[in-house]
């Protein structure tokens, strides 16, 4: 996937946006690109980009997130530094947007800057194993709700269909028909098919645009398919 200056990840609650955003930041860093990642998720206080802060520091990736992140306060406060992500064109910015249309509302204040620069990908993260996005039709409904809430159209689709630690290569292959129907109906390309690192070798050459994921620690802690 060729990197745009800004890459935004959005989707249904629990689709796995955060983990993908974190891994994509590491991917761009491995390409020797300067990276800044922003946590715009004011919906889910548990899974956060900040959980990977130590790795970001080690790799020289700048992190922008609410000062209340990982605290016991559930306050939708966004830092002023968030504007650096959309205004500082010397770095490749990645934005993790909150789940569903409620979370996407927070992006609205930054949309004028994003559209003016016009060097972005707005990627919808889909997981056919999550409630409310089990069919292409229901998934597209969620997509349209997010677009309406934040005022920016999606440019591509990320397939993150998984069952957490129980995911098999057959599950991933089975999800391809689902994701193709979404692509065909919307006209949007599938830019990533995400899989856990231990499945990558099994699926390499069988699945297009394969993207290997190293999962954040909390993923293993609760054994959920949501991240």
């Amino acid at each position: 996937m060729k990197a745009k200056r800004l890459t935004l990840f959005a989707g249904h609650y629990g689709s796995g946006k955060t983990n993908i955003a974190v891994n994509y930041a590491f991917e761009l860093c491995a390409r020797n690109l300067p990276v800044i990642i922003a946590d715009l998720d004011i919906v889910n206080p548990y899974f956060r980009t900040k959980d990977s802060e130590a790795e970001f520091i080690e790799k020289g990736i700048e992190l922008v997130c609410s000062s209340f992140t990982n605290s016991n306060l559930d306050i939708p406060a966004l830092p002023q530094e968030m504007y650096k992500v959309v205004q500082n064109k010397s770095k490749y910015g990645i934005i993790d947007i909150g789940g569903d249309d409620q979370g996407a509302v927070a992006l609205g204040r930054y949309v004028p800057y994003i559209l003016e620069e016009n060097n972005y990908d707005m990627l919808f993260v889909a997981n056919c194993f999550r409630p409310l996005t089990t069919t292409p039709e229901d998934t597209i409904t969620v997509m349209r709700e997010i677009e309406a809430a934040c005022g920016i159209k999606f440019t591509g689709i990320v397939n993150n269909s998984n069952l957490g630690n129980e995911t098999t290569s057959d599950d991933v292959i089975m999800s391809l028909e689902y994701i193709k129907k979404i692509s065909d109906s919307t006209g949007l390309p599938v830019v990533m098919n995400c899989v856990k690192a231990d499945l990558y070798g099994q699926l390499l050459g069988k699945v297009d645009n394969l993207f290997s994921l190293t999962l954040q620690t909390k993923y293993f802690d609760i054994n959920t398919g949501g991240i």
Side-chain angles (χ1 to χ4, degrees):
M1 174 179 164
K2 184 177 180 180
K4 295 291 184 69
R5 216 282 294 174
L6 292 171
T7 305
L8 299 80
F9 292 96
H12 178 52
Y13 176 83
S15 60
K17 305 174 304 299
T18 297
N19 198 67
I20 295 169
V22 168
N23 277 263
Y24 190 61
F26 293 155
E27 166 69 17
L28 295 189
C29 185
R31 299 184 203 175
N32 294 316
L33 299 175
V35 180
I36 181 171
I37 184 169
D39 188 340
L40 199 60
D41 190 343
I42 62 173
V43 176
N44 185 356
Y46 190 74
F47 291 103
R48 295 294 197 183
T49 53
K50 191 172 176 64
D51 295 328
S52 298
E53 185 174 22
E55 293 172 90
F56 291 147
I57 293 172
E58 179 184 348
K59 296 178 184 295
I61 297 172
E62 186 176 356
L63 171 64
V64 176
C65 61
S66 169
S67 58
F68 298 109
T69 296
N70 286 351
S71 73
N72 60 355
L73 299 176
D74 187 17
I75 301 175
L78 297 172
Q80 186 68 23
E81 288 84 356
M82 187 68 70
Y83 283 97
K84 290 169 41 179
V85 183
V86 295
Q87 293 178 327
N88 181 359
K89 299 178 183 179
S90 67
K91 291 192 174 185
Y92 285 78
I94 299 170
I95 302 178
D96 174 20
I97 302 168
D100 302 328
D101 53 336
Q102 179 185 357
V105 169
L107 180 66
R109 71 186 73 175
Y110 310 106
V111 166
Y113 301 98
I114 296 169
L115 295 179
E116 181 181 7
E117 182 181 1
N118 194 28
N119 187 8
Y120 67 91
D121 270 319
M122 173 79 167
L123 303 180
F124 182 83
V125 179
N127 183 348
C128 68
F129 297 111
R130 298 297 292 172
L132 303 184
T133 57
T134 58
T135 69
E137 295 77 16
D138 288 344
T139 304
I140 292 171
T141 295
V142 173
M143 290 178 64
R144 300 311 183 207
E145 290 173 348
I146 292 173
E147 289 177 335
C150 67
I152 189 169
K153 296 287 188 180
F154 285 104
T155 63
I157 304 165
V158 173
N159 180 20
N160 192 42
S161 296
N162 71 89
L163 291 164
N165 288 327
E166 305 302 317
T167 309
T168 67
S169 58
D170 287 340
D171 293 325
V172 177
I173 291 172
M174 183 275 290
S175 73
L176 298 181
E177 181 179 358
Y178 156 86
I179 212 71
K180 183 179 185 300
K181 288 181 179 178
I182 297 173
S183 177
D184 290 345
S185 295
T186 61
L188 298 176
V190 180
V191 299
M192 291 181 188
N193 282 293
C194 299
V195 297
K196 291 192 302 175
D198 60 358
L199 294 178
Y200 185 83
Q202 299 177 36
L203 293 166
L204 189 62
K206 299 179 181 179
V207 178
D208 293 335
N209 301 318
L210 203 59
F211 186 75
S212 178
L213 296 178
T214 300
L215 305 181
Q216 289 179 289
T217 302
K218 282 187 179 181
Y219 184 100
F220 294 106
D221 289 345
I222 68 170
N223 190 26
T224 178
I227 290 297

